[in-house]
């Protein structure tokens, strides 16, 4: 089996801003695995916040090349790399390759009954209240908006978005930007504005503050939940876990995390980094069992790869077979 990988840069449509900073482009890692007849592909986004870099990811691929070229499968891969972007790209490429070799859709290989269209959130980037209201007004007809927050002065921001999009369902993402005192102040306002979910309000290291606290709005663990090894820490503090393939190290662990989280009574969300449709396609398998879906990465880019997933005003259609799976 032959391994090839590449670094790609995809411009953002404008500026994407969260509490930790802003970007104008997204750099992704793509992997291709070819067995002579078929080629499987995967895409991942090394995330500096989790101690990753593009160079380190490429080094991990190079180190694993001899084993890969001896026909590694996605089950064995789990023991050879930790949960990381490089493993995600490889794992998804192996799923794609297996689907093509067996002439079976990836969802069937994963034991699912099918893959259906799903409603995805559309993200409103962090900015001044007037600018966020302007963003929201242009997408107010979408059914679900995700609002980036994470400062001590977010009340006017979320109020402005709600006024600009009165009919949309709203969820918010603090990206670890609030203190516990901030959360206790803003949570009642979010309740009044019919916000349905708060994603990662506190720094992951401050999760102890959530122990025993009853939030008026359900909480979702993002940075606090990387893989199944995180479940002991988040159980009892969060209501949801946000599953991202770059955190879990691929589709294999993402599916396992979803099943394990449900068995503990946790509810599911699926999310993404800033990536193209190639990164979203395997995450759609996870989305089939999630209450909240946030797979709008391609919509935030200036352009997507071809072929791509089609989005219809917030509804995400199944990926074309030529793309993945």
């Amino acid at each position: 089996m032959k391994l090839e990988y590449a670094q790609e840069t995809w411009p953002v449509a404008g500026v994407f801003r969260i509490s930790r900073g802003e970007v104008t482009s997204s750099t992704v890692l793509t992997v291709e695995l070819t067995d002579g007849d078929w080629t499987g592909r995967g895409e991942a986004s090394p995330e500096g916040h989790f101690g990753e870099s593009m160079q380190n990811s490429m080094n991990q691929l190079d180190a694993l090349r001899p084993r890969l070229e001896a026909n590694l499968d996605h089950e064995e891969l789990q023991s050879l790399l930790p949960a990381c972007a490089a493993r995600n790209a490889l794992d998804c490429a192996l799923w794609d390759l297996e689907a093509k070799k067996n002439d079976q859709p990836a969802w069937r290989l994963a034991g699912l009954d099918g893959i259906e269209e799903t409603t995805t959130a559309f993200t409103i980037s962090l900015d001044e209240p007037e600018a966020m209201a302007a963003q929201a007004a242009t997408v107010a007809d979408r059914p679900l908006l995700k609002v980036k927050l994470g400062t001590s002065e977010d009340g006017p921001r979320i109020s402005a978005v709600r006024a600009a999009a009165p009919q949309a369902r709203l969820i918010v993402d603090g990206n670890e930007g609030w203190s516990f005192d901030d959360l206790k102040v803003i949570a009642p306002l979010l309740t009044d504005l019919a916000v349905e979910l708060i994603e990662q309000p506190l720094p992951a290291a401050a999760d102890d503050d959530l122990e025993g606290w009853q939030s008026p709005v359900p909480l979702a663990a993002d940075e606090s939940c990387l893989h199944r090894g995180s479940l002991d820490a988040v159980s009892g503090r969060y209501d949801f876990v946000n599953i991202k393939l770059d955190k879990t190290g691929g589709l294999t662990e993402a599916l396992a995390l979803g099943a394990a989280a449900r068995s503990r009574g946790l509810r599911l969300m699926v999310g993404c980094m800033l990536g193209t449709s190639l990164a979203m396609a395997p995450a759609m398998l996870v989305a089939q069992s999630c209450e909240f879906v946030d797979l709008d990465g391609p919509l935030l880019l200036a352009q997507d790869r071809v072929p791509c997933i089609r989005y219809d005003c917030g509804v995400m259609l199944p990926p074309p077979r030529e793309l993945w799976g």
Side-chain angles (χ1 to χ4, degrees):
M1 186 156 54
K2 181 181 179 182
L3 164 68
E4 294 185 351
Y5 62 78
Q7 174 181 321
E8 299 176 352
T9 299
W10 295 82
V12 170
V15 178
F16 183 73
R17 185 179 296 108
I18 65 173
S19 61
R20 290 194 293 266
E22 62 182 51
V23 296
T24 56
S25 64
S26 176
T27 302
V28 304
L29 173 67
T30 60
V31 163
E32 289 190 353
L33 293 173
T34 303
D35 71 352
D37 296 312
W38 305 101
T39 297
R41 300 191 301 158
E43 177 187 313
S45 297
E47 176 56 58
H49 187 66
F50 298 123
E52 296 193 88
S53 69
M54 182 62 69
Q55 186 58 57
N56 182 60
S57 296
M58 291 179 173
N59 291 343
Q60 289 175 308
L61 294 176
D62 284 332
L64 203 59
R65 186 185 297 274
R67 184 64 195 88
L68 278 168
E69 294 183 346
N71 293 323
L72 176 73
D73 64 31
H74 59 79
E75 294 294 344
E76 186 180 356
L77 174 63
Q78 309 308 301
S79 64
L80 298 180
L81 279 179
C84 61
R87 195 178 83 181
N88 176 27
L90 281 173
D91 188 59
C92 292
L94 285 165
W95 276 92
D96 187 33
L97 182 62
E98 183 178 351
K100 290 172 177 173
K101 289 174 64 174
N102 290 281
D103 196 25
Q104 296 283 334
W107 57 259
R108 183 168 290 146
L109 297 177
L112 303 181
D113 294 330
I115 184 167
E116 304 292 335
E117 64 183 34
T118 185
T119 297
T120 180
F122 183 85
T123 302
I124 305 297
S125 185
L126 181 67
D127 210 321
E128 294 304 312
E130 297 79 8
M132 294 181 73
Q135 290 182 60
T138 64
V139 292
D141 58 339
R142 294 178 183 267
L144 179 64
L145 300 181
K146 173 175 169 175
V147 185
K148 289 291 189 179
L149 299 176
T151 80
S152 60
E153 301 176 351
D154 283 332
R157 291 184 170 96
I158 188 61
S159 296
V161 169
R162 170 52 81 200
Q167 302 303 317
R169 298 170 60 206
L170 296 183
I171 60 178
V172 303
D173 185 1
N175 278 119
E176 301 185 282
W178 289 329
S179 69
F180 188 44
D181 287 340
D182 292 333
L183 175 60
K184 289 187 290 185
V185 168
I186 199 170
L189 173 61
L190 299 179
T191 302
D192 292 342
L193 296 176
V195 171
E196 299 181 26
L197 189 71
I198 302 171
E199 189 180 341
Q200 198 63 45
L202 311 183
D207 276 351
D208 286 351
D209 290 339
L210 298 175
E211 193 71 41
W213 184 65
Q214 296 298 314
S215 175
V217 180
L219 302 179
D222 182 1
E223 288 86 351
S224 292
C225 186
L226 308 182
H227 42 66
R228 280 177 289 175
S230 306
L231 288 176
D232 284 345
V234 302
S235 295
R237 296 172 177 175
Y238 288 92
D239 307 284
F240 284 79
V241 295
N242 185 357
I243 302 172
K244 292 180 179 176
L245 272 63
D246 280 307
K247 295 188 304 177
T248 64
L251 178 60
T252 302
E253 175 63 17
L255 293 169
L257 171 59
R262 287 195 306 271
S263 73
R264 291 172 178 249
L266 288 160
R267 299 155 73 183
L268 303 185
M269 173 182 185
V270 63
C272 66
M273 306 301 186
L274 273 175
T276 76
S277 284
L278 181 57
M280 306 304 121
M284 280 201 74
L285 274 66
V286 181
Q288 302 305 300
S289 58
C290 292
E291 294 180 53
F292 290 99
V293 174
D294 178 26
L295 297 178
D296 64 342
L299 300 179
L300 305 175
L301 301 177
Q303 65 182 49
D304 197 1
R305 68 176 74 245
V306 178
C308 63
I309 293 172
R310 189 160 67 88
Y311 293 81
D312 184 8
C313 195
V315 176
M316 185 180 189
L317 303 183
R321 185 175 183 180
E322 297 79 12
L323 173 67
W324 184 89

